[in-house]
Amino acid sequence: MEALFQKENNMKIYPYLNSRGFSNCYLVLNENIQKAIIIDPGQFTSSIIKKLESNSYKLEAVLITHSHPNHTSGLKTLQKLYTLPIYAADWNIAGSKESTIKGCGKLNLAGIEIEYKQVPGHTTDSIVYKIENALFTGDTISAGKIGNTSSKYSEYILKNNIAEKIFSLPEDTIILPGHGPITSVASEKQFNIDMTDSILKNEPDSAAG
Amino acid sequence: MFFKNQSCANVLEEDQNKFVGLYICDTDLSKINLSEKKFYGCTFKRCTFNKNKIHNLFCRMCLFEFSNFNETTFEECDIKFSSFSGSILNNVLFANSNIIQTNFNGIYASKTTYDDVDLYASRFIRSSFSNVIFSNCNIKKSVFWECQNHEMNFKASNTREAIFDKNGSSLSKGK
């Protein structure tokens, strides 16, 4: 599937549904300078390559939300074709100290300002990336649910992180998840089945299991 | 482009049929002809659609969240990767359309029909249905969790390929 989301400053976002793992990959293009970044290449397909090559875009970097294969398996193919930095919290994926990112901070890649925040819970290396009002969440949160966790404690950590780091964003923030349809912070605050049931901050003991 | 009042009507009524990055909220769009139009990355938040007859609408990554749709029809529309979350649908018909990977979480739908609609990988989490029909729809990988329903019908839709929770599993039996 191919779609288009265009911002006023000539930045375009194209989501691609990976047929293996049914995850979403996003291509972000800066039309002003013909550069691009890719987020979570679960597959690096010919349609993505065609989009880049036929329009002479230079792919400048890869952003990884977490190290699960359905978000990273396309790296093998991608690295055969391009030499470029891979930004991730997991050194094994990033492959260099310079592109291993932790905590929160900012990147400027392909002329695009990107904020990142580490949001552990689904995995320890989970990161969300924000470009303008679009938030790329990987498996941290998707429409109506949060990511799977390996324990009750991880679930508690994840819920708190979402409450603090994602629900604090403006309600019009558009969530572009790693799986399923788009959503917004406003929608998740009201309808996310995992986030609307409990007041998180005050119940670590019960959630820690 | 940001619009918070009726002035957006002028923009949508222009001759052009392709719109990119519009942001329209709290606006009555009942008299706007959305047929044959293409929207990319547009937001229609808390808008009202009353008796709109929408044909051949094309949407990519558009939000129609917390809006009100009354006696509105969507025919032969192509909507992907979009969201109707939190909207109220009363007497709405979606027919012969592709509405793929779209977010219907938290909708309140009454007297609404999805007829021959491809709803692949769409989500209906915490939605309320009253007199809602999914007729001959592709609901493969569509998610129905924690829904409330009264009088639902999934006739000729592939319910075995949809994802129902314990409560929602009763939805698939239909009538």
Side-chain angles (χ1 to χ4, degrees):
Chain A
M1 181 189 80
E2 187 178 345
L4 167 71
F5 181 53
Q6 184 174 323
K7 307 297 289 182
E8 283 180 28
N9 61 358
N10 285 333
M11 183 190 77
K12 285 182 178 174
I13 301 172
Y14 286 81
Y16 293 85
L17 177 63
N18 300 322
S19 57
R20 274 181 289 165
F22 299 102
S23 56
N24 298 324
C25 164
Y26 298 94
L27 193 60
V28 185
L29 307 179
N30 184 341
E31 283 196 323
N32 289 335
I33 54 172
Q34 298 292 109
K35 287 184 177 177
I37 54 175
I38 191 167
I39 301 172
D40 281 357
Q43 270 182 300
F44 195 63
T45 60
S46 55
S47 59
I48 299 174
I49 296 167
K50 194 176 164 190
K51 172 62 69 185
L52 290 167
E53 300 294 332
S54 63
N55 297 288
S56 303
Y57 280 98
K58 184 188 177 215
L59 189 58
E60 195 154 282
V62 184
L63 303 178
I64 299 293
T65 60
H66 65 295
S67 57
H68 282 165
N70 53 353
H71 298 262
T72 59
S73 291
L75 285 175
K76 258 186 188 173
T77 309
L78 195 151
Q79 286 176 301
K80 284 178 187 167
L81 299 171
Y82 303 95
T83 304
L84 73 182
I86 299 164
Y87 291 86
D90 182 347
W91 191 93
N92 292 315
I93 298 289
S96 79
K97 196 178 168 186
E98 291 72 35
S99 61
T100 303
I101 49 179
K102 300 277 184 196
C104 58
K106 284 184 181 176
L107 299 166
N108 194 307
L109 302 167
I112 299 165
E113 183 112 326
I114 302 153
E115 287 176 54
Y116 64 86
K117 289 179 192 173
Q118 207 165 355
V119 187
H122 173 64
T123 59
T124 52
D125 68 327
S126 291
I127 284 189
V128 299
Y129 299 97
K130 186 168 176 287
I131 299 175
E132 296 188 15
N133 71 331
L135 186 73
F136 300 86
T137 57
D139 288 358
T140 294
I141 187 168
S142 65
K145 61 197 281 282
I146 65 170
N148 295 330
T149 51
S150 56
S151 67
K152 276 282 176 195
Y153 184 68
S154 298
E155 184 184 330
Y156 169 74
I157 298 290
L158 177 58
K159 286 179 174 179
N160 263 318
N161 276 326
I162 290 170
E164 265 180 36
K165 297 174 183 175
I166 296 179
F167 283 6
S168 58
L169 294 170
E171 297 215 327
D172 280 341
T173 304
I174 298 168
I175 292 175
L176 302 171
H179 298 270
I182 61 168
T183 183
S184 66
V185 167
S187 171
E188 292 318 297
K189 279 183 175 176
Q190 281 201 41
F191 306 119
N192 189 297
I193 54 173
D194 299 309
M195 293 300 294
T196 49
D197 285 342
S198 58
I199 303 298
L200 304 163
K201 275 287 186 186
N202 298 323
E203 41 180 59
D205 293 333
S206 58
Chain B
M1 282 179 277
F2 180 91
F3 300 97
K4 199 180 175 177
N5 53 49
Q6 212 56 40
S7 64
C8 67
N10 302 330
V11 175
L12 287 172
E13 280 177 347
E14 285 173 4
D15 268 351
Q16 68 180 106
N17 72 342
K18 181 180 170 184
F19 298 89
V20 178
L22 281 178
Y23 185 102
I24 296 170
C25 64
D26 301 304
T27 301
D28 187 348
L29 297 173
S30 301
K31 290 180 180 165
I32 303 298
N33 178 16
L34 296 174
S35 295
E36 315 285 336
K37 289 192 163 46
K38 294 185 174 187
F39 293 97
Y40 297 89
C42 295
T43 295
F44 303 90
K45 189 176 181 182
R46 293 190 303 269
C47 287
T48 300
F49 301 83
N50 189 36
K51 297 184 178 175
N52 294 60
K53 305 293 175 205
I54 302 167
H55 180 261
N56 204 16
L57 169 72
F58 180 98
C59 291
R60 293 291 183 272
M61 294 179 82
C62 291
L63 302 180
F64 296 87
E65 294 189 342
F66 305 101
S67 288
N68 219 317
F69 297 86
N70 185 49
E71 293 184 44
T72 290
T73 62
F74 293 83
E75 288 189 86
E76 296 184 6
C77 294
D78 183 355
I79 299 170
K80 284 180 188 166
F81 214 53
S82 294
S83 177
F84 288 81
S85 180
S87 290
I88 297 170
L89 281 59
N90 180 44
N91 247 313
V92 174
L93 170 67
F94 297 94
N96 306 311
S97 296
N98 292 325
I99 307 179
I100 291 170
Q101 209 169 345
T102 289
N103 179 1
F104 289 94
N105 294 349
I107 61 164
Y108 181 85
S110 62
K111 297 177 189 165
T112 287
T113 300
Y114 295 84
D115 183 18
D116 197 9
V117 178
D118 190 345
L119 288 161
Y120 176 82
S122 291
R123 291 191 184 178
F124 295 83
I125 295 173
R126 286 216 166 142
S127 294
S128 299
F129 301 110
S130 175
N131 290 300
V132 174
I133 298 169
F134 290 84
S135 174
N136 194 30
C137 290
N138 177 23
I139 51 173
K140 185 175 181 178
K141 290 194 177 288
S142 287
V143 179
F144 294 82
W145 284 350
E146 295 193 9
C147 293
Q148 294 185 346
N149 72 96
H150 174 70
E151 298 287 317
M152 277 188 83
N153 192 321
F154 282 93
K155 59 183 177 184
S157 296
N158 53 344
T159 50
R160 285 192 173 193
E161 296 187 272
I163 302 162
F164 295 95
D165 64 1
K166 254 185 189 175
N167 300 327
S169 60
S170 60
L171 293 175
S172 62
K173 291 171 186 166
K175 275 183 31 183

